[in-house]
Amino acid sequence: MPSATPPAADLLAWYDRHRRILPWRAAPDEARDPYRIWLSEVMLQQTTVAAVGPRYARFLARFPTVQALAAADWAEVAEEWAGLGYYARARNLHACARAVAAAGGFPCNIPGLAALPGIGPYTAAAVGAIAFDAPVVPVDGNVERVMSRLHAVEDPLPGAKPRLTALAAAFMEDPAARARPGDFAQALMDLGATICTPRSPACALCPWQGACTARRSGIAAELPRKSPKPARPLRHGAHFLLRDGTGRVLLRRRPARGLLGGMLEVPGTPWRDARWEDAEALPHAPVAAPWRRLPGVARHGFTHFELEMVLFAATLPAAAAAPEGEWQEAGAARASVPSVMRRLLDLAAAA
């Protein structure tokens, strides 16, 4: 083990006293449910614990077992996931549930978990360690931060990831960590989330403060360093909010593959680099109607690009045939569409 690696027993003793109470975390005397652990790990990708907590409970109430999730229609899963973002996760979640249910349960080893739909190396390691005590250390952002400070790794992320992963893996040479891999993994995550925080780390409360090279050097708060992110391109769209005589809103389901695949949306144009002029956008409207362009734009940020959308509104003419799609009350529509579409509903409400 590297000379700066402190005893795992010190962290585990701290964890036994200060472990976070989380909805998906089993108490020390409870059996660990791989379904709940896997679901939480998928939900927590690119999302905060605070945001996931209530949505996790609601999702679990609707789909209490992996078999229930596997048996559900995609539309039900998409509806329950709406607003959580990164919607490919929901498609993979559903596919994975069906694979697990067909196999009779989750595999208890890392290769078996990694072979499931949507489960990458990190999720396989997290579920393997926490649910099945596999002797691995899953490395998320919290663990990267702890390792970078503990060993004063000044190389910027993401280039430093392989080194930080290797430093974390070295803990499995420690008998205390190897005896409790699931607890050790969660202890590292808790340390990063509550003590070794991105800003103003509480070093005086850290069980590893004496071994932390960055603390001794006075650079803990500066680590981990990160390479500058490239500017995200700006894309543009135009969308059409159509209401019927009762105030219901027309929604359409996006193609199963691609961005926001299978989710409901306010009908619109493709998203492109150039702005949409009214004359070229209106042929994309779901029906001929007296469309009115609303003031302002709706903005939303995706991982790889920024999006600006303009919105046209109209009421379905009495003599017009209803276009294909799903008609929903305004409140139900807001609950069933992804966050980017809620920006459009907010724009309409402000008009």
Side-chain angles (χ1 to χ4, degrees), residues 207-228:
W208 282 344
Q209 58 176 285
C212 182
T213 307
R215 178 179 180 269
R216 290 198 302 270
S217 302
I219 59 171
E222 301 172 22
L223 300 179
R225 305 193 195 282
K226 296 182 179 180
S227 298

